[in-house]
Amino acid sequence: MKILRYITVAALAALILPTARARQAIDYVNPMIGATTADESGRGDVNELGKTFPGVCTPMGLVQLSPDTHTGGDVGPGYSYHHKSIEGFSFTHMSGIGWYGDLGNFLVMPTVGPLHTFKGLDDDSDGGYRSRYSHDREDAKIDCYTVMLDDYGIKAELAAAPRSGILRFTYPQADTSRIQIDLARRIGGTSVMQRVEVKDSCTISGWMRCTPEGGGWGNGAGNADYTVYFYCVFSRPLKDFGVWSADIPDGTNRHNESNDDPAYHELIKNARVERGVTAKEGKHLGFFTEFPTSKGEQVMMKTGISFVSEEGARRNLESDIPGWDFAGVRANARRLWADAMKKVKVEGSERDKRIFYTSLYHTLIDPRCFSDADGSYPGADGKIHKADGFVYRTVFSGWDVFRSQFPLQTIINPRLVSDEVNSLIQLASLSGRKYYPRWEFLNSYSGCMVGNPAVSVVADAYNKGIRTFDTDSAIAFAVNSVRRFANNADGYVPGSLSETLEYCYTDWCVAAMLHKAGRHSEAEHFDRRAQAYRSVWCDSVGWFRARMADGSRMPWRGRNTHWQGCVESNNFQQGWFVPHDIDGLKELMGGQAAYDRELKAFFDGADERFRWSDYYNHPNEPDHQVPFMFNYSSTPWLTQYWTRRICERAYGDDVYGLCGNEDVGQMSAWYILAAMGIHPVCPGSDRYEITSPVFDRVEIELDPDYYTGKKFTVTARNNSPENIYIRSIKLNGKPLDRLYITHGEITAGGHLELEMGPNPVKL
């Protein structure tokens, strides 16, 4: 933060006050988009809501400082717009996940009056330390979250740095005001052990231990096992302080359900309050500091977070926030976001820009840094390592993000992709497993979902020329992955259509890498395996159908029946997942006419708003590539029709603006690519399908360390809500007679010009 010493007052005002200058991309970001786990009527449906958090963070930062409205249930982000009270503000969060969440560590709450050790309940705020609030007095911006805590008359403001955060509380007149910290709190469960120590007159430090026995990711099934270290400094000296400690009997269930268990609540309500204690370790601890305040008096606290050590947390804080300049922290966050988001500029309607730039913001939260400011990180071997030439990253939502999120970053942020591949290689190596995780969370191989998605991400990077990593290890671990998690000798996984098709695709990914590496004889083995999708085609029903261990077909209940050998999908949805061999898919279906007919029916049955459906189902990932598959049909203009329709109806600019779980950037990345006019069907290949852009002009700034071009531009002439069809295409001034563009053509820089009109045209 040394840079802040050189920011003038005028420059600071320009950074913080968007009205003082032309609007930047960051001014369009609304962190409240998607921040709910219930719809307008209060009905909760984990499949059809964004589940994002509305607080503050920096691009791919370790800290996400955000309000929390509920601990327990399936509130993965910790916050939901429909809740009426706030429990506090914690320093770590997950964005848009559909499983039981995790993190939410170091929960801070300012209060006045009597001390409560229990959080209270949604319908009984008076019984705990939570407070009611109103959205009328809540403001979420990219650099600051602000809310009035109505029960206490306290205004809370949050700002974040990469590995630290700062909170500013404005108090009423009170004899006993307070900052209290629930050290045991954890989304999806509880931390199982904590320690806190008063280091000096203004500082505390300590840690929170989180294991599967305390629930967390997947309520323990995700195997999350981590320790969060903190170093916390208060602007007001610690004079009247203490801890509370709840007696948790051995054998007590501490998983997610304990958060909604009245018996467990009683243990917390009856916690011992010990004043003046300077060090404490226990199963359920909290810390508080009390002081009188005059009306309008402000008290601040700042905290560094580390997954390495308390010393690492201290260094992170001192590197990020050396003083008490709250406005300076905001200004620095804006600068970091402005720099990260300048890579893409769009011209279009104000509404569409709000959706686009908020989507871009959501794609730049993960994979977050897991290493300290000095590069130290906790390895999968339980030891501390130091990253050399890359940032060690975590939260890899593999099954989701290989489809759009990483192909997007490959274009606009290749350095991030390089970091992630380096991190996956380190994880596979240090864990001793020598293969990649499906869904990685803080070094955990959570096993969530199916397939070998990391293989797709590695192949996409390698095949597109991003090779700033140990390529021999990258390929070796990919080969190990597809050998370990694979179809059987007959070419299928018994009882699972989803796994069978996903494994065929990642076998193709490995083959493509081996061909690129000149290892053609090895590649041919995986080329053959990639064709095993044919083993689950069933002529008698005219569609894909899972096979059982004895080779027989799974009993058939129609292609629209969910969970018939399919994960979070039905056979109609999953069956389109043969992205690496669409010609072969057409052949199985009976030719071009049959392919066209099935594809049209798939979309004709979709929900008008693209909510959860038995046909095209945008809230979930298995068929995210299918709208672009019309480019392989005799009616390619239907890709243009449907992608524009999805962008318009499945996305919005308010809290309900995501029709499905954000899934750690995937839902937003799909929108960004489609709205720009390009999207892959098969990550790992160099082909992006061309579709109808939402925007009149898109400008992509290319990274000179990875690509030869400086800028790639997409222009849609005569573009409008009515003129959604592409009439002609030029690339760098020359006619283009195809509806795809290659990665090399994009990254060489240039200009893709589309002439738009109101009627379909076959190019």
Side-chain angles (χ1 to χ4, degrees):
M1 288 282 291
K2 291 180 180 178
I3 188 171
L4 293 178
R5 297 175 187 173
Y6 307 104
I7 294 180
T8 66
V9 173
L12 187 61
L15 281 168
I16 294 180
L17 301 173
T19 56
R21 38 128 180 93
R23 297 191 78 185
Q24 302 178 46
I26 53 177
D27 299 320
Y28 287 96
V29 173
N30 176 10
M32 200 61 74
I33 292 177
T36 186
T37 64
D39 65 15
E40 296 91 330
S41 66
R43 179 184 65 89
D45 188 330
V46 297
N47 297 315
E48 295 184 359
L49 300 156
K51 298 184 74 174
T52 60
F53 62 82
V56 288
C57 58
T58 56
M60 308 290 175
L62 183 148
V63 161
Q64 309 80 36
L65 181 52
S66 188
D68 293 281
T69 59
H70 188 80
T71 305
D74 191 14
V75 187
Y79 174 99
S80 183
Y81 189 82
H82 76 290
H83 291 146
K84 305 301 182 185
S85 60
I86 286 176
E87 295 179 356
F89 311 95
S90 61
F91 277 68
T92 55
H93 289 86
M94 300 177 77
S95 178
I97 40 86
W99 215 14
Y100 291 104
D102 208 325
L103 300 174
N105 312 111
F106 202 75
L107 183 77
V108 178
M109 186 64 172
T111 59
V112 298
L115 172 68
H116 290 280
T117 59
F118 177 59
K119 63 188 177 185
L121 302 175
D122 296 353
D123 57 358
D124 181 22
S125 296
D126 296 329
Y129 55 70
R130 69 167 64 238
S131 171
R132 286 170 280 255
Y133 76 109
S134 167
H135 296 304
D136 294 337
R137 292 180 295 281
E138 181 187 33
D139 187 31
K141 290 186 171 65
I142 199 169
D143 62 324
C144 186
Y145 173 88
T146 304
V147 70
M148 177 60 72
L149 302 173
D150 292 339
D151 288 350
Y152 302 120
I154 299 173
K155 178 182 177 182
E157 300 169 277
L158 285 58
R163 297 171 178 84
S164 308
I166 186 169
L167 302 95
R168 181 167 67 186
F169 303 126
T170 304
Y171 288 88
Q173 190 282 323
D175 293 333
T176 305
S177 292
R178 178 184 304 105
I179 296 175
Q180 57 187 92
I181 305 166
D182 189 335
L183 298 170
R185 196 269 181 158
R186 178 189 186 189
I187 294 171
T190 181
S191 65
V192 297
M193 190 68 69
Q194 311 89 42
R195 187 177 191 280
V196 60
E197 179 179 353
V198 177
K199 305 294 288 187
D200 58 40
S201 62
C202 292
T203 307
I204 62 172
S205 70
W207 47 260
M208 295 85 75
R209 185 87 178 91
C210 298
T211 69
E213 289 72 31
W217 184 224
N219 200 16
N223 304 309
D225 192 341
Y226 60 93
T227 300
V228 183
Y229 299 91
F230 63 89
Y231 188 86
C232 175
V233 183
F234 300 88
S235 66
R236 184 152 182 162
L238 301 171
K239 293 183 178 179
D240 297 316
F241 62 86
V243 299
W244 69 86
S245 178
D247 183 16
I248 310 296
D250 291 343
T252 300
N253 180 9
R254 306 193 69 187
H255 287 74
N256 190 43
E257 51 269 26
S258 67
N259 287 300
D260 296 311
D261 180 6
Y264 196 85
H265 295 170
E266 287 301 313
L267 296 176
I268 311 307
K269 290 177 183 178
N270 295 323
R272 296 185 308 279
V273 176
E274 305 176 37
R275 294 182 178 273
V277 172
T278 57
K280 184 75 175 182
E281 186 172 321
K283 292 182 178 180
H284 192 110
L285 297 183
F287 178 86
F288 63 91
T289 175
E290 295 178 339
F291 38 81
T293 54
S294 56
K295 183 178 180 180
E297 185 172 350
Q298 292 184 333
V299 179
M300 289 190 281
M301 63 170 291
K302 57 183 180 178
T303 303
I305 298 293
S306 170
F307 290 87
V308 173
S309 66
E310 291 179 54
E311 179 63 17
R314 181 187 67 80
R315 288 195 298 264
N316 288 343
L317 178 62
E318 292 176 352
S319 173
D320 283 347
I321 312 175
W324 292 103
D325 185 358
F326 189 88
V329 177
R330 289 186 62 181
N332 195 50
R334 286 182 65 85
R335 180 184 64 80
L336 292 172
W337 278 114
D339 187 59
M341 296 180 71
K342 72 180 182 182
K343 297 169 184 177
V344 188
K345 297 176 183 177
V346 295
E347 294 177 10
S349 75
E350 294 295 286
R351 174 187 181 271
D352 290 338
K353 284 193 281 189
R354 286 193 293 271
I355 297 171
F356 184 90
Y357 286 122
T358 302
S359 295
L360 185 59
Y361 161 78
H362 280 144
T363 68
L364 295 172
I365 293 174
D366 285 303
R368 68 194 62 181
C369 69
F370 197 27
S371 49
D372 284 349
D374 67 354
S376 299
Y377 67 90
D381 57 357
K383 300 176 182 178
I384 304 304
H385 299 265
K386 187 164 287 192
D388 183 13
F390 70 99
V391 176
Y392 191 68
R393 299 196 175 278
T394 187
V395 187
F396 172 74
S397 178
W399 187 78
D400 307 299
V401 296
F402 82 84
R403 306 166 197 266
S404 305
Q405 161 74 326
F406 273 91
L408 169 67
Q409 301 302 332
T410 299
I411 297 172
I412 69 171
N413 206 354
R415 191 177 305 277
L416 170 68
V417 177
S418 175
D419 281 350
E420 179 57 32
V421 175
N422 272 297
S423 300
L424 288 169
I425 291 170
Q426 290 299 306
L427 181 65
S429 177
L430 294 174
S431 68
R433 296 175 186 247
K434 308 300 181 184
Y435 61 85
Y436 296 125
R438 289 177 178 165
W439 212 117
E440 179 272 340
F441 175 72
L442 308 188
N443 286 337
S444 165
Y445 279 64
S446 74
C448 185
M449 306 313 295
V450 298
N452 289 300
V455 171
S456 172
V457 171
V458 173
D460 198 47
Y462 183 87
N463 293 341
K464 290 174 179 173
I466 301 174
R467 299 180 185 177
T468 44
F469 46 80
D470 180 346
T471 56
D472 289 341
S473 292
I475 294 174
F477 295 153
V479 170
N480 292 347
S481 298
V482 301
R483 289 192 183 280
R484 183 180 183 90
F485 302 102
N487 291 316
N488 64 17
D490 294 318
Y492 64 91
V493 173
S496 180
L497 176 61
S498 294
E499 288 182 275
T500 299
L501 297 182
E502 295 255 2
Y503 290 150
C504 290
Y505 162 65
T506 49
D507 281 341
W508 175 87
C509 288
V510 166
M513 270 197 294
L514 290 171
H515 280 303
K516 281 279 188 180
R519 296 159 60 175
H520 300 294
S521 60
E522 295 173 75
E524 289 170 1
H525 169 71
F526 294 101
D527 281 329
R528 290 190 295 271
R529 287 182 21 161
Q531 291 294 307
Y533 69 88
R534 298 171 182 271
S535 71
V536 286
W537 178 265
C538 180
D539 284 329
S540 67
V541 300
W543 201 252
F544 288 100
R545 183 179 178 186
R547 295 175 65 179
M548 308 306 287
D550 62 2
S552 64
R553 303 287 179 174
M554 178 176 282
W556 186 249
R557 293 179 289 155
R559 65 174 69 181
N560 295 102
T561 300
H562 286 256
W563 297 100
Q564 193 178 201
C566 299
V567 176
E568 294 190 3
S569 61
N570 59 34
N571 294 60
F572 205 6
Q573 294 158 352
Q574 186 65 72
W576 294 102
F577 194 74
V578 189
H580 57 289
D581 189 13
I582 294 177
D583 287 340
L585 177 62
K586 291 180 186 179
E587 177 190 332
L588 288 178
M589 288 182 173
Q592 185 71 57
Y595 173 88
D596 294 355
R597 185 173 59 251
E598 295 284 16
L599 197 53
K600 183 176 184 300
F602 189 56
F603 282 86
D604 286 345
D607 179 78
E608 278 290 310
R609 297 176 63 195
F610 299 99
R611 299 297 178 95
W612 200 265
S613 167
D614 291 337
Y615 293 85
Y616 178 69
N617 189 38
H618 198 68
N620 210 15
E621 278 71 26
D623 49 13
H624 268 190
Q625 84 286 357
V626 186
F628 307 93
M629 291 173 67
F630 282 106
N631 273 7
Y632 297 79
S633 78
S634 60
T635 54
W637 54 83
L638 288 178
T639 280
Q640 299 154 39
Y641 172 83
W642 284 111
T643 61
R644 284 290 284 265
R645 199 173 177 91
I646 294 165
C647 286
E648 173 65 26
R649 298 191 177 189
Y651 296 85
D653 61 349
D654 63 9
V655 71
Y656 307 107
L658 285 166
C659 73
N661 301 158
E662 167 61 9
D663 284 326
V664 198
Q666 169 58 24
M667 283 289 286
S668 289
W670 188 99
Y671 176 86
I672 291 168
L673 286 167
M676 292 195 304
I678 55 174
H679 195 290
V681 162
C682 183
S685 76
D686 68 347
R687 172 171 168 160
Y688 300 84
E689 304 305 319
I690 296 174
T691 189
S692 175
V694 169
F695 296 96
D696 302 337
R697 182 180 175 86
V698 178
E699 210 172 84
I700 301 171
E701 179 183 298
L702 299 168
D703 188 333
D705 290 339
Y706 290 83
Y707 301 133
T708 58
K710 294 182 179 180
K711 182 172 65 176
F712 183 76
T713 303
V714 180
T715 301
R717 305 192 190 285
N718 299 315
N719 195 27
S720 72
E722 295 76 31
N723 291 355
I724 64 171
Y725 296 107
I726 299 172
R727 300 182 61 82
S728 65
I729 307 175
K730 289 182 179 179
L731 179 61
N732 299 327
K734 298 179 179 179
L736 191 68
D737 60 355
R738 50 182 159 89
L739 279 166
Y740 69 89
I741 188 169
T742 67
H743 185 75
E745 288 169 333
I746 292 172
T747 58
H751 189 190
L752 183 68
E753 299 172 80
L754 309 175
E755 187 72 27
M756 311 300 294
N759 300 310
V761 174
K762 188 165 186 177
L763 299 175

